[in-house]
Amino acid sequence: MQFPTRRSVLQSAAVGGALGLAGCLSAAEADDAAKPTTTPTEETTESPEATTTEAGRTPLDEWLLASNVFAGPADRHFQDEVTVTVGSAAVPFAFAPADLRVTPGTTVEWQWLPHGGANNVVAVDGTFDSGDPVEGHEQTFTQTFDEPGAHRYVSEPHEDCGMRGVVRVESVPESDYPGVDRWLADVDAYDGTVTDHTDSDEVTVTVGAEGNGGNFAFDPMAVKLSPGTTVTWEWTGEGGAHDVAFEDADVGTDEVVAEAGATFSHTFESTGVYRYACRPHQALGQKGAIVVA
């Protein structure tokens, strides 16, 4: 799931939270950096997989809305080690990236920057803890995540200032083609299926099919072909303007198209894995793959 860009400047805290925020302001002043503040929100104990709210957000999304998260989840699937910074000159009270997507077995290392005063890294459920808050740019803390789930954490001194983060540990579907799995790991609907069309001379792929929170998908998403097969991409006219741009070959549309019924065709002669995406909506997960075997 992709989240909208967070507020770059949070609203002033209510009077009831003023005392808790005083420490945030003092640390920011010491760093000569202005700190946006926010009203603390009530802690939720619901599972991140719980039913979404009327606004379409899960309890985890609601929890992150009170954080200094400035982008959607950062895809770090298949990386053995990932680095998260603690504080920065621009935003003293934030982890970056604050929202991670990783596969089981990934080790995350938090690296302190000399901004934002003393901080620590503490899991909300108590499963990991870096210890007492410390300052400085040489401090590090590592944690290996083996179990799938959403692991929330905070910096205790500045949680009420929005210093929150989450590590989403996700098992990725597997096919017989690791290159396809890696490419489509962050696509909501990918389940490891590579549709077999090796007996077909022509195959049609829908552009702007339903998926990824709207009409931001290709259908079928991953296709297996025989050499010499022609693939035609056909636009539905839904989801705005789309294109088809390949990563592994000089193939694709010359422009972004929104018109229903528009088509683009290409004949695949050589074996291999061909990854492609709609560039305007790639961040939302509109990606596909062609396997020629």
Side-chain angles (χ1 to χ4, degrees):
M1 171 181 185
Q2 298 290 328
F3 299 105
T5 301
R6 302 295 195 257
R7 299 157 295 193
S8 59
V9 179
L10 304 180
Q11 299 300 316
S12 298
V15 173
L19 291 177
L21 295 173
C24 303
L25 294 173
S26 297
E29 289 166 358
D31 275 337
D32 295 321
K35 169 65 184 78
T37 60
T38 186
T39 304
T41 57
E42 184 178 351
E43 182 73 27
T44 176
T45 58
E46 294 183 72
S47 165
E49 289 76 29
T51 304
T52 57
T53 64
E54 292 183 2
R57 295 188 293 263
T58 67
L60 176 58
D61 300 338
E62 294 285 357
W63 187 78
L64 283 173
L65 281 173
S67 72
N68 295 337
V69 180
F70 295 93
D75 180 11
R76 300 294 187 269
H77 289 110
F78 301 104
Q79 294 188 15
D80 294 333
E81 298 180 355
V82 178
T83 298
V84 175
T85 59
V86 180
S88 71
V91 188
F93 306 104
F95 298 103
D99 192 352
L100 278 177
R101 298 178 70 178
V102 301
T103 41
T106 300
T107 297
V108 178
E109 180 179 79
W110 285 266
Q111 296 181 351
W112 272 244
L113 298 181
H115 308 283
N119 288 294
N120 60 359
V121 175
V122 178
V124 170
D125 63 3
T127 54
F128 55 91
D129 188 334
S130 68
D132 293 335
V134 294
E135 297 185 59
H137 64 281
E138 296 182 355
Q139 175 73 17
T140 63
F141 170 69
T142 60
Q143 175 72 24
T144 299
F145 293 89
D146 294 315
E147 296 300 324
H151 304 272
R152 310 184 197 191
Y153 64 91
V154 301
S155 172
E156 291 175 317
H158 301 126
E159 178 182 1
D160 290 342
C161 307
M163 202 160 179
R164 303 179 176 191
V166 64
V167 178
R168 306 171 191 254
V169 184
E170 305 165 335
S171 296
V172 176
E174 296 182 2
S175 68
D176 293 332
Y177 305 96
V180 173
D181 301 333
R182 289 173 179 268
W183 178 242
L184 300 178
D186 61 339
V187 179
D188 290 344
Y190 182 60
D191 61 2
T193 298
V194 178
T195 305
D196 192 341
H197 281 297
T198 52
D199 293 333
S200 303
D201 294 330
E202 297 182 356
V203 174
T204 299
V205 175
T206 301
V207 181
E210 185 175 353
N212 298 301
N215 289 91
F216 308 120
F218 296 105
D219 186 25
M221 188 184 313
V223 184
K224 183 179 179 180
L225 315 172
S226 297
T229 302
T230 298
V231 179
T232 298
W233 286 265
E234 183 172 356
W235 273 246
T236 63
E238 303 292 335
H242 308 281
D243 68 356
V244 175
F246 277 78
E247 297 283 311
D248 310 292
D250 188 16
V251 177
T253 56
D254 293 329
E255 58 186 14
V256 179
V257 179
E259 180 183 357
T263 62
F264 166 72
S265 297
H266 180 75
T267 301
F268 291 85
E269 302 288 358
S270 301
T271 59
V273 173
Y274 299 86
R275 303 167 300 161
Y276 68 93
C278 166
R279 287 173 295 185
H281 304 120
Q282 180 172 345
L284 298 179
Q286 190 169 352
K287 301 194 288 188
I290 304 292
V291 176
V292 183

